[in-house]
Amino acid sequence: MKNLILILIATSIFSVAQSQVTGEKYYNQVFYEDFDGPVDNHIWQVLTGSEHGGDLSRERCYVENGLLNMIFINDPAKGYLSSAIQTRDEFLYGRWEASLKPTDVPGVLNSFFTIDWDNTADETSGSDGTKQEVDIEFLSKSFKDETGEVHLALHERGNKSFQTNPDISVDFNPSADFHVWGFEITPEYIEWFVDDTVLHRYTYAENEITVDAPYMLKLNFWSSENWVGGPPEENVECVYQIDWIKFTPLHLLNED
């Protein structure tokens, strides 16, 4: 009987802790970054190592003139030189917005997305997370003089992914200037947008994936041959620029 009581207490404690992780802890989480100084290592983790077949480096992710610059180079001697950065904090429901200017060099992918790589609700479980991921991806091969496309996606380990096919067309070249891109993640749906124009709405009730786990925000810059249409021309410095990034939690959106 005593053991049963202890189990019930432990289960109750875990349930409360899990509730705090998936709700209360992130309820008032706000974020704003305008890159008015060097990359803040307390806020951001600039990734090193390798990713998508490319070599990552801190040197290719830096702030200059109030803009975050992410660099990709197809180096014939060293291979793909990529870049990636992600937040240290985690978030949940709310609206992400960012002023982005992808590269105009064909053959690379510029991203703005969320990723749940760990199990915040139970850090002792050894789980590597849900792999829930909400994506905005720019394949620069699609950019024309006055038009372009954007790829939207939603992934989760064990469930069927959502991906735009064909990709969403826009009546401007995304690499020609900065535009405000983003997505709103709620307990019922995800909505992607550009400059306050809705691109797509994904409702959980009609699909397999429901975003319900905390995640980090990530941006990366890479290439591959088939889907991305790479590599870009050798030794050309491709530059992905970010002016600012903002997150507004859901309850503050609802007050507007």
Side-chain angles (χ1 to χ4, degrees), residues 35 37-39 61-69 237 241-242:
F35 301 108
V39 173
C61 199
Y62 60 89
V63 172
E64 186 175 79
N65 298 323
L67 301 173
L68 175 65
N69 292 266
E237 185 177 78
Q241 294 187 310
I242 299 91

Side-chain angles (χ1 to χ4, degrees), residues 185-231:
I185 303 175
T186 80
E188 293 82 29
Y189 64 85
I190 299 167
E191 195 167 78
W192 290 263
F193 58 86
V194 59
D195 298 332
D196 289 326
T197 297
V198 174
L199 297 171
H200 184 79
R201 175 180 280 214
Y202 177 101
T203 56
Y204 305 152
E206 300 171 357
N207 295 281
E208 294 188 21
I209 301 175
T210 298
V211 173
D212 56 8
Y215 55 79
M216 294 169 285
L217 181 78
K218 183 174 178 179
L219 301 93
N220 62 10
F221 195 24
W222 54 279
S223 182
S224 68
E225 291 185 10
N226 295 325
W227 179 50
V228 179

Side-chain angles (χ1 to χ4, degrees), residues 128-148:
D128 60 355
T130 64
K131 294 294 193 294
Q132 290 176 358
E133 181 178 331
V134 181
D135 292 348
I136 293 179
E137 294 170 308
F138 305 98
L139 281 68
S140 58
K141 68 178 184 179
S142 74
F143 300 166
K144 310 301 180 185
D145 288 342
E146 296 182 357
T147 61

Side-chain angles (χ1 to χ4, degrees), residues 142-160:
S142 74
F143 300 166
K144 310 301 180 185
D145 288 342
E146 296 182 357
T147 61
E149 295 178 356
V150 58
H151 182 76
L152 311 178
L154 176 62
H155 305 286
E156 181 179 53
R157 182 177 53 196
N159 281 318
K160 181 180 178 181

Side-chain angles (χ1 to χ4, degrees), residues 25-99:
K25 181 178 178 181
Y26 303 93
Y27 188 68
N28 292 307
Q29 186 89 317
V30 295
F31 183 89
Y32 183 73
E33 171 67 88
D34 62 1
F35 301 108
D36 62 350
V39 173
D40 189 334
N41 292 321
H42 295 94
I43 298 173
W44 296 100
Q45 181 181 2
V46 179
L47 303 183
T48 58
S50 62
E51 183 178 78
H52 297 296
D55 175 69
L56 299 172
S57 170
R58 292 186 178 90
E59 295 178 356
R60 290 188 292 278
C61 199
Y62 60 89
V63 172
E64 186 175 79
N65 298 323
L67 301 173
L68 175 65
N69 292 266
M70 301 180 66
I71 307 300
F72 179 91
I73 301 172
N74 174 23
D75 187 318
K78 299 179 181 179
Y80 291 171
L81 305 181
S82 310
S83 53
I85 187 171
Q86 66 190 40
T87 60
R88 294 189 181 276
D89 284 344
E90 294 183 313
F91 304 83
L92 193 52
Y93 298 127
R95 182 181 178 94
W96 283 100
E97 302 168 87
S99 179

